[in-house]
């Protein structure tokens, strides 16, 4: 067999293989089915051209040539339909379906009309030539060019609308189809036409299809239309079983045959087991990938939502702060008598208004602090500050709240001045939180604020303690306190309005001051002590 014939045979085998692989890769998907038909038609084309070129019987050669034209019709048609379905399935309308089938049936039937298209097969100068009728030729050429290149127009429109990743893939297919198409048309349609009668290069057409087949297989494998691993496992198993069966068939003795048959059955059993497990694994992997993608998407959406929530809280709390400060300020001035003496009866309601507005102020401060932490926007202005001053300021603000709760507040062992390097406002909020909690979770009793100094020189530290005699904390709940939204069970019952943000903020600020904060308690109902340790400047 000459090398050109061998090449044609190789193309035929390759396409038959691909056709089966694709079609059986996913039998239900029309994309796979039509690509299978496309590959099969190329195989038929290559084989018929091979027969046309090599048979000794010229009559048979003419039949083979006719078959090659039928194959070419199938190639153009299946490619057009395939392109319509790939990569997104688009349904054909009734009219489109009618045009597709009628035109194809018409062109194929012209091949069987006597003396309409292929007239005869002759040998000229050692080359086999098909004599063609010009009208028949034109009808066929028109059909082929319209469908084959029409599919490129469809593909080009897909390319225009596709997303970046798909665009590259589709662009790749367009180029390969265009190259192979133009070369194929030139060598198999233009040169052998009744006008040039050049039949020497007809074997080149099928060879160029290898470009299309290659790129399409690649594109399909990338789009997961084809499970290469499953198909490879299937092919391998079928191959092995086939060989074993043949061996059994051609065994020399009866004994050997039985042995080989047993071997064949066992191998068959294990192969099916292997194929099934590969299939399951591939399916699971696909499913996992899909889930991971879904999760990634959900995660992104959640992050966006979370950010939107933080921004909303930040804006809302900023807007709330100004009017609240005004309310608190005016009520406090009215209570102090700045607008004249107030009647006794008004004192209590005014005090309640003040305490409520104070509670609202801490709530808004909590929310603002939370959104600052979340967005990473806590900013500090460090300078030398006096802790005693800060604590007294916080106590002054909480005076009314403490009175409402009938709490007594005492300073013990507090030096005249305790200087640390820190942010005045943030440390103020730290002690507001600790003292507010001490009052909130005690109701009655005495709150003691103490200070002690430890270390020398650069490692000198001051430890402030806030001791209350309130609800206390059970040891197993200790770890919750400084977490975001962390609250003990008892506190949730007695103060359902709390949010569990205050201590989370306290910890962050104290740590940003290179300090430490912790709590101690003997247990439920036995009071608690909160310690803040800060380096002394
Ligand atoms: P909130 O007071 O709004 O709940 P915090 O972050 O200030 O939020 O406090 C977190 C939790 O720590 C409180 O819910 C409470 O369970 C506990 N806690 C804080 N301070 C005290 C205290 N002085 N005594 C007992 N429990 C406390």
């Amino acid at each position: 067999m000459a090398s050109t014939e061998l090449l044609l045979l190789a193309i035929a085998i390759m396409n038959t293989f691909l056709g089966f692989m694709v079609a059986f890769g996913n039998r239900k998907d029309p994309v796979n089915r039509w690509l299978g038909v496309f590959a099969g038609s190329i195989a038929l084309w290559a084989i018929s051209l091979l027969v046309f070129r090599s048979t000794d019987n010229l009559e048979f050669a003419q039949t083979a040539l006719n078959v090659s034209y039928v194959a070419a019709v199938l190639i153009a048609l299946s490619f057009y339909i395939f392109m319509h379905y790939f990569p997104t399935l688009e349904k054909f309308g009734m009219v489109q379906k009618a045009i597709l089938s009628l035109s194809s049936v018409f062109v194929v039937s012209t091949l069987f009309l006597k003396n309409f298209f292929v007239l005869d097969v002759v040998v000229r100068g050692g080359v086999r030539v098909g004599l063609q009728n010009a009208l028949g030729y034109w009808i066929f050429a028109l059909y082929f060019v319209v469908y084959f290149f029409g599919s490129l127009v469809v593909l080009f429109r897909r390319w225009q609308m596709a997303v970046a990743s798909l665009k590259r893939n589709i662009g790749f297919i367009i180029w390969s189809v265009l190259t192979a198409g133009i070369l194929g048309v030139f060598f198999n349609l233009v040169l052998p036409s009744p006008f040039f009668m050049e039949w020497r290069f007809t074997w080149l057409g099928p060879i160029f299809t290898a470009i299309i087949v290659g790129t399409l297989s690649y594109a399909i494998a990338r789009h997961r239309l084809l499970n290469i691993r499953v198909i490879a496992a299937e092919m391998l198993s079928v191959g092995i079983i086939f060989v074993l069966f043949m061996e059994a068939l051609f065994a020399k003795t009866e004994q050997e045959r039985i042995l080989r048959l047993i071997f064949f059955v066992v191998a068959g059993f294990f192969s099916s087991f292997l194929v099934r497990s590969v299939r399951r694994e591939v399916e699971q992997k696909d499913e996992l990938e899909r889930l991971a993608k879904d999760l990634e998407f959900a995660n992104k959406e959640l992050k966006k939502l979370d950010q939107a929530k933080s921004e909303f809280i930040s804006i809302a709390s900023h807007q709330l702060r100004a009017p609240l400060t005004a309310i608190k300020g005016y009520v406090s001035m009215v209570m102090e008598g700045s607008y004249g003496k107030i009647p006794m009866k008004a004192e209590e309601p005014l005090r309640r208004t003040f305490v409520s507005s104070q509670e609202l102020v801490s709530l808004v401060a909590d929310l603002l602090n939370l959104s600052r932490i979340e967005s990473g926007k806590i900013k500090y202005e460090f300078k030398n500050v006096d802790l005693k001053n800060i604590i007294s300021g916080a106590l002054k603000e909480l005076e009314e709240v403490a009175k409402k709760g009938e709490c007594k507040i005492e300073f013990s062992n507090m030096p005249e001045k305790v200087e640390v390097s820190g942010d005045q406002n943030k440390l103020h909020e730290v002690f507001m939180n600790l003292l507010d909690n001490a009052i909130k979770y005690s109701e009655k009793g005495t709150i003691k604020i103490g200070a002690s100094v430890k270390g020398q020189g650069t490692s000198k530290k001051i430890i402030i303690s806030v001791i209350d005699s309130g609800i206390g904390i059970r040891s197993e709940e200790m770890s919750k306190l400084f977490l975001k939204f962390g609250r003990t069970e008892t506190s949730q019952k007695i103060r359902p309005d709390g949010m569990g943000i205050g201590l989370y903020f306290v910890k962050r600020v104290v740590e940003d001051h290179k300090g430490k904060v912790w709590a101690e308690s003997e247990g439920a109902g036995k009071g608690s002590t909160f310690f803040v340790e800060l380096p002394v400047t």
Side-chain angles (χ1 to χ4, degrees), residues 437 440-441 468 481 486-488 491 498-503 528 530:
N437 279 348
K440 245 185 356 193
Y441 298 116
D468 66 51
L481 306 188
R487 307 198 68 207
T488 64
S491 68
M499 286 199 298
I501 299 172
L503 289 183
S528 16
F530 281 78

Side-chain angles (χ1 to χ4, degrees), residues 145-157:
V145 169
V146 165
Y147 279 115
F148 197 77
F149 292 97
S151 56
L152 274 182
V153 176
V154 174
L155 202 57
F156 184 68
R157 266 197 255 123

Side-chain angles (χ1 to χ4, degrees), residues 366 433-434 436-442 466 468 470-473 477 480-483 485-492 495 497-506 521 527-530:
D366 271 355
N433 264 305
L434 294 180
D436 189 29
N437 279 348
I439 299 168
K440 245 185 356 193
Y441 298 116
S442 302
V466 179
D468 66 51
I471 59 168
I473 303 154
E477 291 199 293
K480 280 190 200 169
L481 306 188
F482 297 95
L483 300 178
F485 307 127
R487 307 198 68 207
T488 64
E489 271 172 31
T490 335
S491 68
Q492 283 178 37
R495 292 299 297 242
D497 52 335
M499 286 199 298
I501 299 172
L503 289 183
Y504 174 63
F505 173 74
V506 166
S521 171
S528 16
T529 307
F530 281 78

Side-chain angles (χ1 to χ4, degrees), residues 89-101:
L89 267 182
E90 258 175 51
K91 290 253 174 327
F92 282 104
M94 280 306 278
V95 181
Q96 256 177 318
K97 270 188 193 164
I99 294 177
L100 273 177
S101 19

Side-chain angles (χ1 to χ4, degrees), residues 434 437-438 441-442 448 452 454 463-482 488 503 516-533:
L434 294 180
N437 279 348
Y441 298 116
S442 302
K448 289 189 189 129
S452 64
K454 78 172 192 198
I463 301 170
I464 308 281
S465 51
V466 179
I467 309 167
D468 66 51
S469 50
I471 59 168
I473 303 154
R474 286 189 293 146
S475 59
E476 59 268 32
E477 291 199 293
M478 269 298 177
S479 54
K480 280 190 200 169
L481 306 188
F482 297 95
T488 64
L503 289 183
K516 273 200 296 196
V517 55
W518 71 97
E520 286 173 11
S521 171
E522 305 248 306
K526 295 195 174 141
S528 16
T529 307
F530 281 78
F531 297 94
V532 175
E533 181 187 286

Side-chain angles (χ1 to χ4, degrees), residues 215-482:
T215 39
L216 283 182
S217 317
Y218 171 74
I220 285 181
R222 283 204 55 159
H223 274 95
R224 317 216 152 268
L225 297 176
L226 186 68
N227 267 326
I228 297 284
R229 279 177 60 197
V230 177
I231 291 158
E234 274 170 0
M235 289 284 173
L236 189 74
S237 320
V238 170
I240 293 174
I241 294 171
F242 182 71
V243 170
L244 289 177
F245 184 69
M246 284 316 220
E247 275 195 334
L249 220 59
F250 294 109
K252 281 192 200 82
T253 64
E254 214 36 48
Q255 213 178 358
E256 204 181 321
R257 176 165 303 143
I258 290 172
L259 212 69
R260 285 187 179 174
L261 271 176
I262 293 175
F263 207 52
F264 160 77
V265 172
V266 172
F269 174 74
F270 278 109
S271 311
S272 81
F273 182 68
L274 171 85
V275 169
R276 245 180 290 150
S277 69
V278 171
R279 186 181 287 275
R280 207 175 314 129
E281 198 197 313
V282 168
E283 276 167 7
Q284 274 169 357
K285 213 178 115 219
D286 284 355
E287 178 70 8
L288 263 181
E289 256 172 47
R290 200 182 54 73
L291 284 177
K293 272 210 189 104
D294 284 358
L295 258 182
E296 199 182 289
F297 178 74
N299 197 18
K300 268 193 202 142
E301 288 297 300
L302 267 180
K303 273 193 187 143
K304 268 195 236 157
L305 212 71
D306 197 44
Q307 201 177 343
K309 177 212 75 188
S310 297
E311 273 165 26
F312 171 75
I313 291 178
S314 164
I315 293 168
S317 354
H318 266 295
Q319 307 283 10
L320 281 171
R321 209 156 61 151
L324 262 178
T325 318
I327 294 169
K328 216 180 106 187
Y330 280 116
V331 174
S332 134
M333 276 154 73
V334 172
M335 278 163 67
E336 278 163 11
S338 306
Y339 301 100
K341 199 170 160 22
I342 44 166
M344 279 272 278
K345 258 166 66 184
E347 264 178 32
E348 183 54 20
L350 273 176
R351 202 182 57 77
R352 285 195 184 179
T353 314
F354 183 83
V355 170
S356 298
S357 59
Q358 173 57 43
E359 277 169 6
L360 214 57
V361 166
S362 5
L363 189 99
V364 169
D366 271 355
L367 284 175
L368 253 180
N369 288 332
L370 178 71
S371 81
R372 279 189 196 127
I373 296 182
E374 307 276 270
S375 60
K377 278 189 199 145
I378 302 194
K379 297 221 167 54
Y380 297 96
E381 268 179 52
F382 283 92
K383 57 181 188 206
N384 278 352
V385 291
D386 179 9
L387 274 187
K388 185 165 182 200
N389 201 338
I390 291 176
I391 296 172
S392 311
L395 278 178
K396 178 116 197 57
E397 265 190 62
L398 291 170
E399 217 173 13
E400 290 303 323
V401 185
K403 258 194 221 160
K404 179 193 157 205
E406 294 171 39
C407 280
K408 254 176 58 198
I409 300 179
E410 282 174 11
F411 271 117
S412 59
N413 302 330
M414 199 57 144
E416 259 321 290
K417 215 170 181 195
V418 188
E419 279 217 330
V420 297
S421 161
D423 182 305
Q424 175 92 23
N425 291 335
K426 300 285 183 308
L427 288 178
H428 172 81
E429 284 194 57
V430 164
F431 289 103
M432 278 292 283
N433 264 305
L434 294 180
L435 294 168
D436 189 29
N437 279 348
I439 299 168
K440 245 185 356 193
Y441 298 116
S442 302
E443 291 290 320
K444 279 184 192 148
T446 309
I447 293 162
K448 289 189 189 129
I449 304 165
S452 64
V453 177
K454 78 172 192 198
Q456 286 289 317
T458 48
S459 58
K460 194 170 169 189
K461 292 188 171 93
I462 174 125
I463 301 170
I464 308 281
S465 51
V466 179
I467 309 167
D468 66 51
S469 50
I471 59 168
I473 303 154
R474 286 189 293 146
S475 59
E476 59 268 32
E477 291 199 293
M478 269 298 177
S479 54
K480 280 190 200 169
L481 306 188
F482 297 95

